[in-house]
Amino acid sequence: MMENLTAQQVRDVIEGRGCTQIPVLYDLWIYPSVMEKEQAQVEAMLEKYPRDVQEVFLRFPDMYDAPEEDGDYRWAAAGGKHREGVGLDADVVIEDWEDAEEFFERFPSPDYPGLIPEFQKDGKRYLLARWWYLYFERLWSLRGMENALTDFYLYPDEVHRLFGKLTDFYERAMERAGKELDADGFFASDDIGTQNSPFFSLEIFREFFKPYYKRLCDKAHELGMHFWLHTCGNVELFLEDFIEIGLDVIHPIQKGTMDEKKIADVYGDRICILAGFDVQQAIPFGSPEEVRKEVRYLIDTFDRGRGRFMLTMGNGTTPDWKKESLEALYEETCAYGGRE
């Protein structure tokens, strides 16, 4: 088993103070249970290689199901349930903003005791407190994708009210995670890009998203912590704004959506890039040698020897991933990235 980096070494990388080794975070997105026939082998393989960050998922509200001890700890109003026969992005919870007062009045409380899970920090590695669905993802999960994309124009006040309430919830959850878990950073998701472009204009981003993202970055820094953001797709349009508000880590610079060399050259000295290895083509369909070649390309493209670069997967495991490709991924990363 290779030695993991310390929390301070990872902090140095994130903040651009340099590190002789590239943090390896592939395991954050590798789910061995998805590779059913090879689950035990993949789990054993992961133990051999660096796992430079610990993670713990905060127990945020479910959409419809509430815990027995707190019937209001869910996003949907009492009695709500999944729609049958529709896609995830059409499962509308708030049909009409005019009928949303109950939703806002019984908004879940971030002081719910179960929000912070029992967890043992190992005392050495950097600890991430994670959650899914930030602003856009939470909006469309409540309103459906079609409504969400028009709400910015038709119901701007309601969107701001929602995002403000969400931010209040997140800030309190962050305070608790900092105190109760002694976490080092937060990692949340908000997919605001498509394969070719952002979901919305820079003007919409600056009016509806930037102020709330800034509050979370400011809160993390106030707590002496970092804020990490996962956002799929082409989000180059927003990178300058993310840097301006103090976002510490951006993931994944998705393969095939942006010019990686340009991103590295223009932004690589000002924000830590958690580069995501290609999960659409290389891992499921590439040969082990093609995987090794892509590892070398990512390191050559993003590594400047001064930090602000870490490696992980672009997204989570799917059943078509190959164990031999994962082995090649780790072997080449450690050999070419100076971890052997």
Side-chain angles (χ1 to χ4, degrees), residues 51-119:
R51 306 177 78 162
D52 289 322
V53 165
Q54 280 188 292
E55 64 173 342
V56 56
F57 275 89
L58 304 181
R59 292 173 178 161
F60 276 23
D62 186 81
M63 185 60 74
Y64 297 103
D65 297 327
E68 291 183 3
E69 63 272 21
D70 187 345
D72 283 333
Y73 196 68
R74 58 181 161 194
W75 296 115
K81 60 182 181 179
H82 287 287
R83 289 186 175 186
E84 298 292 336
V86 302
L88 181 64
D89 64 349
D91 191 8
V92 180
V93 174
I94 302 175
E95 292 275 3
D96 193 320
W97 281 116
E98 294 181 1
D99 301 323
E101 201 56 41
E102 180 186 358
F103 167 80
F104 285 114
E105 287 179 354
R106 49 145 303 279
F107 208 80
S109 170
D111 288 310
Y112 166 63
L115 183 147
I116 304 294
E118 292 186 10
F119 184 82

Side-chain angles (χ1 to χ4, degrees), residues 135-140 145 149 190-192 199-200 209:
Y135 294 112
F136 183 54
E137 290 177 336
R138 183 56 59 200
L139 175 63
W140 68 250
M145 184 64 75
L149 290 171
D190 213 11
D191 289 340
I192 55 177
F199 269 101
F200 28 74
F209 292 91

Side-chain angles (χ1 to χ4, degrees), residues 156-176:
D157 292 342
E158 288 78 1
V159 173
H160 278 297
R161 185 181 182 189
L162 173 63
F163 286 4
K165 292 278 286 185
L166 288 171
T167 305
D168 292 342
F169 182 100
Y170 300 149
E171 287 182 323
R172 176 60 184 142
M174 292 164 71
E175 291 172 350
R176 291 187 58 194

Side-chain angles (χ1 to χ4, degrees), residues 202-214:
L202 185 58
E203 291 72 24
I204 292 293
F205 174 83
R206 286 176 172 169
E207 178 180 350
F208 291 97
F209 292 91
K210 186 176 179 179
Y212 303 104
Y213 285 139
K214 185 178 187 304

